[in-house]
Amino acid sequence: MSVTAATVREKLKSIKGPEGVDLAASGKLSDIVVTDGKVFFSLTVDAAQAQAWEEVRKNAEAAVRSIPGVASVLVALTAERTGGAARSPQPSRESQRAASPRPGASPTGTARAVPGIESVIAVASGKGGVGKSTTAVNLALGLRDLGLKVGVLDADIYGPSMPRLLAVKTKPEMIGGHTLRPVEAYGMKVMSIGFLVDEETPMIWRGPMVMSAITQMLREVEWGTLDVLVVDMPPGTGDAQLTLAQQVPLAGAVIVSTPQDLALIDARRGIAMFRRVDVPVLGLVENMSYFLCPHCGKRTDIFNHGGAKAEAEKTGVPFLGEVPLDAEIRETSDSGLPVVATRPDSPHAKVYREIARRVRGELERGRTGGKVAPKIVIES
Ligand SMILES: Nc1ncnc2c1ncn2[C@@H]1O[C@H](COP(=O)(O)OP(=O)(O)OP(=O)(O)O)[C@@H](O)[C@H]1O
Ligand SMILES: [Mg+2]
């Protein structure tokens, strides 16, 4: 018998919240998503009562897990935005991204290290579609080629990219009833919400759920021992990103930008945001920097090439490298055959490996205290 949302809802009638009301009647329950026996839902509660609800969350997970046919359960505890300004869920991706709790309003705790993971780095951008996910994957592979143990966490829960970029078809296994084993791809451990929910399924996330889902993917996944966990962030510099940067112990952020002025303005916002929450900016990558003609080898600076380098100098962050706009990068990326893994001798792979080497250098400098990113407070 296959599990349905209705079966799960029925089961949740047996679990009571702190006020004694059962979960199905509590009004706290989100939509229940069931895919291939994998159950996912959230409970939206008052942040002040988060402690009390944590117990309920665990009970709910245990109850749902006991339903025959349930392969795994993920229950996210989320807090409503406090102090007014609550936003209703919006249908568009961008507006969903904008809605989020106030920094610190999440019940899921504060930044503390993830046992076994040496450094967590974020690959971020102010603007969408600049090639963050492509950079994140190839950077991760470049770090792998340096001999590091690498994991990739897809924190873009609105539009997860890792199933596609790494051609992952398998699902993470549930171990010990509560922890997920990450998927292995190209010698790296990978976790994405896209592995749990069908990529085609439109996902409506209420702002506060974001933090909870990401925290669980970070902490309730058996990452084992990793030198670096590369986090592919959702685009933008809204509250969601700020909250994330505060909750997750980040060793640093890599900002990806295209060379156009508009993208660079967004990149600057990204840099300012990470600095504001004391996350060192490891550097800036200029993606789609120039076009190298595959036929004649002529280089064309389509956009104002070099803008990111100038921006890096202006804002005092390291410049990590420039990646050309190239059909091979797009094709390999979009078909799950990332260029660093599948064409390791290509000039593009070399570019990414060099970026990885610089990132490692920055991480080492950060650890030895040789360099601390200057703290600049920019009010937005
Ligand atoms: N250097 C490049 N040359 C050619 N195509 C590229 C390059 N970098 C990325 N792309 C392509 O651009 C598109 C967007 O890239 P990607 O998904 O990595 O961007 P993103 O910043 O993560 O987007 P989002 O904001 O939606 O998460 C993809 O089709 C990708 O293959
Ligand atoms: Mg992306």
Side-chain angles (χ1 to χ4, degrees):
M1 193 190 75
S2 63
V3 187
T4 63
T7 338
V8 174
R9 179 173 279 277
E10 193 57 36
K11 188 76 188 176
L12 292 174
K13 287 184 180 166
S14 66
I15 305 294
K16 290 198 168 50
E19 297 103 359
V21 182
D22 80 66
L23 291 187
S26 65
K28 314 276 188 203
L29 197 57
S30 70
D31 282 350
I32 298 167
V33 179
V34 185
T35 329
D36 297 336
K38 295 180 174 58
V39 181
F40 181 79
F41 60 88
S42 77
L43 297 167
T44 305
V45 303
D46 185 342
Q49 292 189 319
Q51 291 284 334
W53 276 95
E54 177 56 22
E55 195 59 32
V56 182
R57 185 187 73 79
K58 286 190 186 137
N59 292 344
E61 274 192 348
V64 175
R65 202 174 299 124
S66 72
I67 301 173
V70 167
S72 64
V73 192
L74 191 69
V75 181
L77 196 61
T78 71
E80 276 290 12
R81 170 185 285 259
T82 50
R87 285 176 232 200
S88 53
Q90 301 288 316
S92 84
R93 199 174 181 227
E94 282 311 310
S95 54
Q96 282 174 43
R97 285 168 194 265
S100 72
R102 273 210 331 249
S106 165
T108 44
T110 51
R112 59 190 162 90
V114 182
I117 304 182
E118 172 87 30
S119 307
V120 181
I121 63 172
V123 178
S125 71
K127 193 172 174 291
V130 296
K132 259 181 320 305
S133 303
T134 302
T135 307
V137 162
N138 285 297
L139 165 64
L141 288 162
L143 291 166
R144 178 205 68 172
D145 288 348
L146 290 171
L148 302 183
K149 275 195 214 138
V150 181
V152 178
L153 170 61
D154 186 352
D156 193 345
I157 57 166
Y158 301 105
S161 300
M162 290 310 146
R164 179 173 49 91
L165 292 193
L166 295 168
V168 170
K169 300 272 188 298
T170 49
K171 306 264 176 200
E173 256 174 70
M174 196 76 170
I175 39 174
H178 199 67
T179 310
L180 288 170
R181 176 172 295 147
V183 164
E184 294 266 345
Y186 298 108
M188 306 185 295
K189 292 186 173 165
V190 192
M191 186 62 203
S192 167
I193 204 89
F195 300 154
L196 302 167
V197 182
D198 188 0
E199 229 186 327
E200 302 302 312
T201 309
M203 276 179 276
I204 311 289
W205 293 90
R206 302 182 67 186
M209 290 166 64
V210 175
M211 220 24 260
S212 182
I214 292 167
T215 306
Q216 292 202 356
M217 284 203 288
L218 192 72
R219 300 193 183 280
E220 290 173 21
V221 167
E222 194 196 53
W223 290 108
T225 310
L226 293 181
D227 295 307
V228 187
L229 179 68
V230 178
V231 183
D232 179 21
M233 299 279 261
T237 51
D239 280 356
Q241 280 67 29
L242 202 58
T243 311
L244 200 110
Q246 285 181 327
Q247 298 277 328
V248 175
L250 294 171
V254 171
I255 310 287
V256 181
S257 180
T258 52
Q260 302 100 310
D261 291 345
L262 276 177
L264 285 164
I265 290 170
D266 288 319
R268 196 178 307 155
R269 280 203 199 103
I271 292 170
M273 180 203 74
F274 282 109
R275 284 178 166 171
R276 205 161 59 190
V277 289
D278 279 340
V279 172
V281 176
L282 302 174
L284 195 59
V285 172
E286 183 169 282
N287 190 34
M288 312 195 201
S289 179
Y290 53 89
F291 175 69
L292 210 52
C293 175
H295 307 295
C296 67
K298 185 170 174 283
R299 174 178 165 146
T300 315
D301 294 345
I302 307 174
F303 312 121
N304 209 3
H305 156 254
K309 190 167 191 178
E311 189 62 37
E313 276 163 17
K314 209 158 79 189
T315 39
V317 306
F319 183 65
L320 297 173
E322 44 194 44
V323 180
L325 172 75
D326 192 277
E328 193 177 47
I329 296 180
R330 188 183 53 73
E331 283 157 17
T332 51
S333 179
D334 293 348
S335 57
L337 301 164
V339 74
V340 172
T342 59
R343 305 195 191 161
D345 298 325
S346 68
H348 306 316
K350 289 201 182 100
V351 167
Y352 283 118
R353 276 201 300 271
E354 181 58 24
I355 291 172
R357 216 181 46 74
R358 291 191 184 152
V359 166
R360 184 182 60 174
E362 290 301 319
L363 282 174
E364 279 167 2
R365 256 204 289 282
R367 260 201 297 278
T368 55
K371 176 170 178 297
V372 177
K375 192 182 167 197
I376 300 175
V377 177
I378 302 174
E379 296 304 329
S380 56

